[in-house]
Each structure stands twice: as C-alpha cells, then as structure tokens.
Amino acid sequence: ESFPCFCLKPPPPPPPPPPVPPYVVIKMGNCAKYGFEDIVDEPTCRAVMNNGYYNTRDQNSNGKIDSTEMYPNPVIDSTGTPPGCWPVDPIVQELDPNFVVPDFGFPFGCVNTNLDSTAYCSEVFPCFCLLPEYVVITEGTCEKKGYIDILSEPLCRAVMNNGYYGTRDQNQNGKLDATEMYPNP
C-alpha cells in the first residue's frame, strides 16, 4: 500500500531586474554640466554599471564577471568625489599612490548623494548619468510645442545616439552611427 507524499511547491522565480534606463558615461566635468541627470539611488546605479562597465570585467581575478557578483556599492555623502554613480577603476592605484583600497578590494562602486560636490568625473571615476526625458518633434520648434531646446552638444549627441543614430548606418560602413564621432555643429 502506498502512502501519500506531501510536497512543497517550488518558490516563484525572482522578479526580473528593472530595465536599464538610457544613460551615458562621462569622464570629464559632471552630469549636470552637460544637462544629464545624476543617478543617486543604488539599484539604478548598479543596473547601469552592470550594463556598461562591470559586464566585461573581472577586477578581482576570481574567474567571474563582476556584474554577476554583489560587489559593494555604498551610498555616500562626499565633497571629495563626483556626485552621482561611478565605479572605482583599479587604475586609481597607479594614478594616486595615496589611494587606500578598502578591505573588500575590487570591484566596487559608489553613489554620492552630495549633488553640490565640485569633484569631477575622470578616467578613475567615470560617471554614469541618466538621459533626461526628451521628445522628438517633426514639425515646428521645441518652444512652439511647449518644450525646451537642447543647447548642450554632449546632451544633443547623447539623445540622438539613444534614438535616431542608435539604429542607423547611414554611411553603410557596418557600424551604427551612434558609435562614430559624426559632426554635430
């Protein structure tokens, strides 16, 4: 005679990660200088860094791509580092002999919530910035439609690369226009 077995249902799968918002990486100035938005929350910071920085690196040489690990990404309030979201590149050890690597080592990033910090983004602290919301109009002017003109060349290039040039190869060289330095007077 058989006895009934009572079994647990498997747990539901984890929710999918949030979509990665449109972003750019800058290595000079800061996000606000170019009209971009600072990323000041840890989940969004981690999502963009995993998408565009840690997805190809193994900074602690453990055989795992950094984006698959839960690396430290502390939220800080600092005047000595750029505002917003940035990974710390190991090159900092070569460029700044006074830099102290934390006990947890590489990889790690930071979210600096001090938007008044005057520190700039650099090769060592490449900043991840969000593109502000924008619209594309095909008739009239931004002002007449109730929008604001984009007057910053880096912001203009970024929004064009995100949409228009991100899908085109107008000179038919096998490269998306967004990956090339096209003239943008």
Side-chain angles (χ1 to χ4, degrees), residues 61 131 141:
S61 301
L131 291 180
T141 66

Side-chain angles (χ1 to χ4, degrees), residues 28-31 33 77-84 112 114-121 127:
M28 293 173 39
N30 59 36
C31 296
K33 175 181 177 181
D77 180 345
S78 167
T79 58
T81 59
N112 184 3
N114 186 336
L115 299 181
D116 294 325
S117 172
T118 57
Y120 286 131
C121 308
C127 298

Side-chain angles (χ1 to χ4, degrees), residues 129-151:
C129 312
L130 292 178
L131 291 180
E133 288 188 46
Y134 64 91
V135 296
V136 177
I137 61 170
T138 56
E139 293 180 11
T141 66
C142 291
E143 186 177 344
K144 286 184 180 178
K145 298 281 186 175
Y147 300 112
I148 300 168
D149 287 316
I150 296 175
L151 301 176

Side-chain angles (χ1 to χ4, degrees), residues 80-92:
T81 59
C85 170
W86 36 268
V88 180
D89 194 297
I91 195 171
V92 69

